Amino acid sequence: MSAKFDVVVIPGDGIGLEITSGAVKVLEAAAKKYDLDISYTYKDAGGTAYDKFGVPLPEDTVEAAKSSDGVLFGAVGGDKWDNVKPELRPEKAILGLRKQLGLYANLRPVKVLDALVGYSPLRTDRVKGTDLVIVRELTGGIYFGDRCESEQYNGAERAWDLENYSVPEVERIAELAFRTAKLRRGKVTSVDKANVLATSRLWRRTTAKVAEKYPDVALDNLYVDNCAMQLAVNPKQFDVIVTGNLFGDILSDEAAVISGSIGMLPSASLGDGTGLFEPIHGSAPDIAGKGIANPLGTILSAAMLLRYALREEQAADSVEAAVDKVLADGIRTPDLWKDGFEKVNTDEMAQAVAERV
């Protein structure tokens, strides 16, 4: 008897429809191979939802997401909505979904495939073999602390933002990082600024306490400035990096550049319920509808959905292996194409991956 799952697909704006369509095609191939019964419910969010309903995140989208086994998300935003009120901007959709689903952790893998080593800005000997995951705390820290836009203090105007973390917030993100490392190479690097910040000292103490429960996982600590340097100098040393919201935002964007193509990178936002899976790139409205968008980041996000939401490890492995094979076979969308390779459009790339699953 086949396992049954319900996946909500939210294409969003710009290239969202094209890339999510490609990912669903690959999911269907994996479902057929591994006897999975996956149904798909399509919902609106972002600027597309604003145009239809006057809000970027309709309530029925939220409810469908909450009751699903996983959410596959495309991208939101675009110049078309630049003049919309701040509270109605398309980007509020993804922030709202994260809040409504209780997603407190963002997992961003950065794996440099042999076929794409030449695209990295780093030297081949430094970048080849890089395979790391950044686990970023998503709902706490300075982004969600109290703030003041303007006040008078000692005769001068000032603004401030409050950074704070509680022990339970750090514990749950650390637990996820250690569980992730157990499935990989067994090493966690916790990143903070404990030489300066009180919140970082609490972060480091709490992470060390959690580490005691995982004797088979090695823990080391780096200050954020050193970690930023090490990502550029020797990214291969890292397995799982865990850090707070602000540092994670910066480091994950730095690490994304290592791969040489932002179109290749997936992400997962996880909590205690339904997870959300999306590529890290934007909606690229300038190429929307042209069939030239790279769907691989979304396809790899679908692989993360199989692994983390549906718990179908073999199916996830097969999708990731299929992406590796397509690239090894010299098939490229225009963003990665060079002389000597086969240039394909968005649908053709998705079909090529599906055939290799």
Side-chain angles (χ1 to χ4, degrees), residues 122-157:
L122 300 183
R123 281 201 329 245
T124 297
D125 61 311
R126 288 187 176 179
V127 76
K128 187 174 182 180
T130 295
D131 182 3
L132 62 91
V133 175
I134 295 179
V135 180
R136 168 191 171 190
E137 202 287 323
L138 208 54
T139 60
I142 199 166
Y143 289 172
F144 290 87
D146 293 338
R147 67 195 60 195
C148 175
E149 296 282 343
S150 175
E151 69 176 12
Q152 291 296 313
Y153 182 78
N154 288 340
E157 182 184 18

Side-chain angles (χ1 to χ4, degrees), residues 10-13 43-50 55-58 61 73 75-76 90 93-94 97:
I10 303 177
D13 309 321
K43 292 294 179 180
D44 291 307
T48 303
Y50 175 79
V55 292
L57 185 61
T61 299
F73 197 93
V76 292
I94 190 67
L97 265 179

Side-chain angles (χ1 to χ4, degrees), residues 111-130 257-261 264 327 332 335-338 341:
K111 184 176 182 181
V112 180
L113 304 176
D114 287 350
L116 297 183
V117 165
Y119 293 85
S120 175
L122 300 183
R123 281 201 329 245
T124 297
D125 61 311
R126 288 187 176 179
V127 76
K128 187 174 182 180
T130 295
V257 179
I258 294 170
S259 72
S261 173
M264 285 291 303
L327 293 170
R332 302 284 190 275
D335 59 313
L336 295 175
W337 180 82
K338 296 178 181 178
F341 293 120

Side-chain angles (χ1 to χ4, degrees), residues 215-236:
D216 52 343
V217 177
L219 169 67
D220 65 349
N221 298 280
L222 285 181
Y223 295 141
V224 62
D225 41 356
N226 188 19
C227 183
M229 180 181 69
Q230 294 297 326
L231 278 169
V233 173
N234 182 21
K236 290 184 287 187

Side-chain angles (χ1 to χ4, degrees), residues 74-271:
V76 292
D79 298 343
K80 179 181 178 181
W81 301 283
D82 277 352
N83 296 319
V84 171
K85 293 180 180 178
E87 65 271 19
L88 296 176
R89 287 185 62 85
E91 294 78 10
K92 292 294 183 180
I94 190 67
L95 298 175
L97 265 179
R98 286 173 178 170
K99 182 177 180 179
Q100 291 285 341
L101 296 175
L103 306 176
Y104 60 80
N106 181 258
L107 271 65
R108 187 178 291 188
V110 178
K111 184 176 182 181
V112 180
L113 304 176
D114 287 350
L116 297 183
V117 165
Y119 293 85
S120 175
L122 300 183
R123 281 201 329 245
T124 297
D125 61 311
R126 288 187 176 179
V127 76
K128 187 174 182 180
T130 295
D131 182 3
L132 62 91
V133 175
I134 295 179
V135 180
R136 168 191 171 190
E137 202 287 323
L138 208 54
T139 60
I142 199 166
Y143 289 172
F144 290 87
D146 293 338
R147 67 195 60 195
C148 175
E149 296 282 343
S150 175
E151 69 176 12
Q152 291 296 313
Y153 182 78
N154 288 340
E157 182 184 18
R158 74 173 185 180
W160 51 264
D161 298 272
L162 177 66
E163 163 90 358
N164 68 79
Y165 270 113
S166 67
V167 167
E169 286 177 310
V170 180
E171 285 177 335
R172 66 183 183 180
I173 196 74
E175 289 274 1
L176 179 59
F178 280 95
R179 292 198 304 269
T180 301
K182 279 177 68 72
L183 298 174
R184 292 171 50 85
R185 302 192 304 278
K187 179 184 177 184
V188 170
T189 300
S190 180
V191 176
D192 57 40
K193 194 64 176 170
N195 56 335
V196 176
L197 301 176
T199 46
S200 283
R201 288 190 283 276
L202 178 137
W203 181 283
R204 187 172 290 208
R205 291 196 307 273
T206 307
T207 303
K209 193 71 175 175
V210 172
E212 294 174 4
K213 298 163 57 177
Y214 298 87
D216 52 343
V217 177
L219 169 67
D220 65 349
N221 298 280
L222 285 181
Y223 295 141
V224 62
D225 41 356
N226 188 19
C227 183
M229 180 181 69
Q230 294 297 326
L231 278 169
V233 173
N234 182 21
K236 290 184 287 187
Q237 69 183 282
F238 295 109
D239 181 18
V240 175
I241 295 173
V242 62
T243 191
N245 208 340
L246 175 62
F247 297 156
D249 189 2
I250 296 166
L251 292 176
S252 59
D253 283 347
E254 180 194 3
V257 179
I258 294 170
S259 72
S261 173
I262 200 168
M264 285 291 303
L265 298 181
S267 75
S269 295
L270 305 176

